[in-house]
Amino acid sequence: MLKKLLLFGILVASLSTQAQKEKILKLPSFDKPLFHYGFYLGANNNGYKISYAPSDFDNTEIEVESSIGFNVGLIADLRLHNNINLRFEPGLMSNTKTLRFKHIPGADNVNTREVGATYLHLPLLLKFSTNRLNNMRPYVIGGISYDHNFSSNERNSDDNFAGEFRTTTNNFMYEIGIGVDFYLSYFKFSPSIRGVFAINNEAVYDNKSPSQWTDPINFLGTRGVFLHLAFE
């Protein structure tokens, strides 16, 4: 993920150099209002970070296979300073992960679990921007979020012994990213690439122990990268 952020940063720097040749300012008063609004679309590739706990099961290995998901939501932006904005970006974030418990022998219905997640993503972010470079403005952004997992089966009495891998409903995450604002004729287009990292453990442990699925897990949390395309 760090490589992707670095490559995006190099692209932003290259485009910023080209933007200095631009002489006609578009939307020259866009950043003056105290508030403005917008929406965003995006794609994510979220997996899990897993750390292991001592257990009765040797050679524990859990492989995570993630699929491409989507992000969509709204933007509310408050200008705190010429170069600092406070942003609230409520939206939906959805994708599916497949867990393969490689230390468990047997058929797929025993050692494989599919975990779907659709989050109500409620991030509060600070955006730090450079001074405007004609019709471009690079920035970094970061903050924390509360995420409600609509797909959570936390309260389901069935666990892995019945084929259900359970995850928590209420989660907290932080995200960081870099991007650039492009001032176009009628709106501002802001692509960014961001990383998202869970703070709390999202695994719900099985009802009885020993469990070859959840006993070896010390921490399981969302970790991934997403492309964020904002229209303001």
Side-chain angles (χ1 to χ4, degrees):
M1 189 192 72
L2 291 176
K3 291 182 179 179
K4 293 179 181 179
L5 290 173
L6 180 60
L7 289 173
F8 191 82
I10 294 172
L11 176 62
V12 167
S14 175
L15 292 174
S16 298
T17 301
Q18 296 179 19
Q20 294 178 15
K21 301 176 183 179
E22 179 66 53
K23 296 183 180 181
I24 300 175
L25 286 182
K26 299 177 181 178
L27 304 178
S29 301
F30 185 92
D31 296 318
K32 292 182 180 180
L34 186 62
F35 294 98
H36 75 264
Y37 303 93
F39 69 94
Y40 65 87
L41 305 170
N44 67 69
N45 185 16
N46 292 343
Y48 283 128
K49 175 185 177 181
I50 300 176
S51 61
Y52 301 107
S55 71
D56 296 332
F57 304 97
D58 297 328
N59 302 317
T60 299
E61 184 181 357
I62 303 173
E63 182 181 84
V64 182
E65 179 182 317
S66 60
S67 60
I68 300 298
F70 72 89
N71 300 4
V72 61
L74 303 174
I75 298 168
D77 184 288
L78 171 64
R79 179 172 57 82
L80 302 178
H81 180 271
N82 289 337
N83 301 95
I84 304 174
N85 295 67
L86 179 67
R87 293 168 71 89
F88 180 52
E89 300 184 353
L92 295 176
M93 180 169 64
S94 180
N95 78 344
T96 300
K97 282 88 80 174
T98 300
L99 301 180
R100 303 188 189 281
F101 298 84
K102 304 190 78 172
H103 58 283
I104 303 176
D108 285 350
N109 64 337
V110 175
N111 59 26
T112 302
R113 296 287 183 266
E114 187 173 279
V115 184
T118 298
Y119 294 102
L120 173 62
H121 186 55
L122 302 174
L124 190 63
L125 307 166
L126 281 173
K127 178 181 177 181
F128 299 90
S129 305
T130 68
N131 291 331
R132 182 167 170 169
L133 304 172
N134 293 307
N135 288 320
M136 295 181 64
R137 198 176 193 190
Y139 63 86
V140 296
I141 192 167
I144 60 174
S145 68
Y146 165 73
D147 292 68
H148 181 89
N149 186 359
F150 292 114
S151 303
S152 170
N153 50 4
E154 181 176 8
R155 297 185 179 181
N156 192 340
S157 59
D158 290 337
D159 59 12
N160 281 289
F161 292 94
E164 290 286 332
F165 187 91
R166 299 178 297 177
T167 55
T168 55
T169 302
N170 302 298
N171 303 284
F172 295 91
M173 304 186 189
Y174 69 92
E175 63 184 74
I176 56 174
I178 57 174
V180 59
D181 293 331
F182 293 96
Y183 296 84
L184 306 179
S185 298
Y186 300 105
F187 62 92
K188 184 173 74 173
F189 174 56
S190 301
S192 64
I193 187 167
R194 304 184 187 180
V196 62
F197 309 87
I199 297 172
N200 63 285
N201 186 2
E202 296 178 54
V204 176
Y205 293 90
D206 290 336
N207 300 323
K208 59 183 180 180
S209 185
S211 165
Q212 56 190 342
W213 297 277
T214 60
D215 278 9
I217 296 175
N218 181 57
F219 177 88
L220 179 142
T222 296
R223 181 176 66 177
V225 62
F226 62 94
L227 177 66
H228 187 278
L229 304 175
F231 302 83
E232 304 172 41

